[in-house]
Amino acid sequence: MTGQSVVDPPRTTALPGPGAPPERLSAAHYEPAHVPAEVSRYGTAAHTLPVGTSGKVGLLELGFEVRGPAGEQRTELVRHYQKTPLQIMRPMYYDEARPDMPYTYVMTTGGGILHNDRQRTDLWFGEGTSAHVTTQAHTKVYRMESGYATALVNLDLAPGAYVEYLPDPLIPYRDSRLYQRTDVTLAESATLVAGETVYSGRLSRGEHHQFSALASDFTVRRPDGEPVAVDRVRLVPRDGRSGGPAVLGSLDVVSTIYVVTTAVPAKEVADVLHAAAADAFSHAPEGRFGVSTLPVGSGAWLRFVGNDTVAAAAVWRSATRAAHELLTGSPAPTIRK
């Protein structure tokens, strides 16, 4: 999935227990061990509030397990820690076809990401769980006078878990810089449907490719540390275009969907994603997309680029719904926002 061979070392996957131990608030917990040069060159000098100030470090830890008597079991949130500005709504069960599957919305009390913000989210899914995690709204990365922001997401899926991690689009404002990293530890029999969408700016205001830098890493490993898939994105605008690995050029939207699974043959997953995206294009034919299988038969992925946010949303909905139906055998519900 990338021309780079560098893979970060495996992380520990143990989720802390109840309470707020001091190590949670230490820089070693929420600061990335490495920040790409495209972002780190802006330093950490504070224009207003420095790193670590109250409200600048957001932490969220969620643990899910299967609970209930035989025949009435469902996935429930059993471990929960949050620190402003990150928080969640109570998980909801509104999918009539899958009453065992909670839908959880991640929110931020600050309305967006500011300079020197540090966010870390740890999500743990126990054996046989099924869950959908999304965001309440688009993630806004605000203009920064100094420094940069980081957002770390760690997903840990035990055997037999089925998880959809599908946040709303990210919007980097003028002069913003962000490093986001998603690390996935996935058991061989677990399934993950994940994705992200990035706009080139506040398009409704005519803001195109005016952010400073956006770096994103998506890595999937087995519990023993064996790499499954690595996707590196580095976007640095210049002259109205965003270049670097995963070049966006002068286009305004890039969407990526990853389906990591061994429950269904990789080619079948790829065919379903391609058919769903092609069907969406028949109604809104704008942009380009491609689908390919992941290494060693571990699933498939789709990437879309274009200028039309409506077309991008149509491809996203069509492909994620098709993946849900293929992998769960039930129709996908309409996600309420």
Side-chain angles (χ1 to χ4, degrees), residues 65-310:
E65 291 183 357
V66 175
R67 294 287 177 87
E72 299 178 12
Q73 291 184 328
R74 68 177 189 174
T75 299
E76 296 184 357
L77 178 64
V78 298
R79 302 161 77 178
H80 177 200
Y81 172 79
Q82 64 186 37
K83 178 183 178 298
T84 299
L86 291 179
Q87 62 182 38
I88 65 167
M89 295 177 60
R90 181 190 297 272
M92 295 182 288
Y93 298 82
Y94 59 70
D95 184 355
E96 295 182 357
R98 291 296 307 271
D100 63 308
M101 186 172 176
Y103 285 70
T104 304
Y105 296 78
V106 177
M107 302 179 294
T108 174
T109 57
I113 297 176
L114 302 169
H115 77 284
N116 288 329
D117 277 3
R118 300 293 185 264
Q119 296 185 356
R120 173 169 171 162
T121 300
D122 292 89
L123 307 179
W124 178 81
F125 303 91
E127 186 170 353
T129 55
S130 296
H132 179 106
V133 179
T134 184
T135 52
Q136 183 190 32
H138 292 37
T139 298
K140 305 173 185 67
V141 188
Y142 292 125
R143 183 174 183 174
M144 299 177 184
E145 298 290 342
S146 63
Y148 58 84
T150 65
L152 309 180
V153 179
N154 300 313
L155 308 177
D156 194 321
L157 280 68
Y162 173 81
V163 175
E164 297 172 351
Y165 178 72
L166 299 170
D168 281 352
L170 183 147
I171 307 174
Y173 285 27
R174 178 199 300 266
D175 297 331
S176 64
R177 37 262 188 179
L178 172 70
Y179 173 51
Q180 60 177 8
R181 189 185 75 202
T182 302
D183 282 335
V184 181
T185 300
L186 188 81
E188 185 80 24
S189 60
T191 292
L192 174 68
V193 180
E196 69 174 8
T197 295
V198 177
Y199 294 169
S200 71
R202 290 178 291 179
L203 306 181
S204 62
R205 297 194 177 190
E207 190 176 275
H208 305 267
H209 301 277
Q210 295 178 26
F211 58 93
S212 297
L214 174 64
S216 177
D217 292 334
F218 180 86
T219 303
V220 182
R221 299 184 180 88
R222 296 302 181 198
D224 62 1
E226 177 188 2
V228 175
V230 179
D231 190 10
R232 301 284 194 243
V233 173
R234 305 288 186 268
L235 298 175
V236 180
R238 182 178 181 182
D239 299 327
R241 302 171 63 87
S242 293
V247 173
L248 183 55
S250 61
L251 300 175
D252 285 325
V253 186
V254 56
S255 288
T256 308
I257 298 170
Y258 315 89
V259 180
V260 190
T261 185
T262 57
V264 177
K267 184 180 183 303
E268 185 176 351
V269 177
D271 288 345
V272 165
L273 291 178
H274 191 280
D279 179 67
F281 264 62
S282 68
H283 303 289
E286 192 280 336
R288 298 288 185 272
F289 75 92
V291 177
S292 63
T293 57
L294 294 173
V296 296
S298 57
W301 71 304
L302 176 153
R303 179 161 280 162
F304 164 90
V305 293
N307 288 316
D308 188 344
T309 59
V310 174

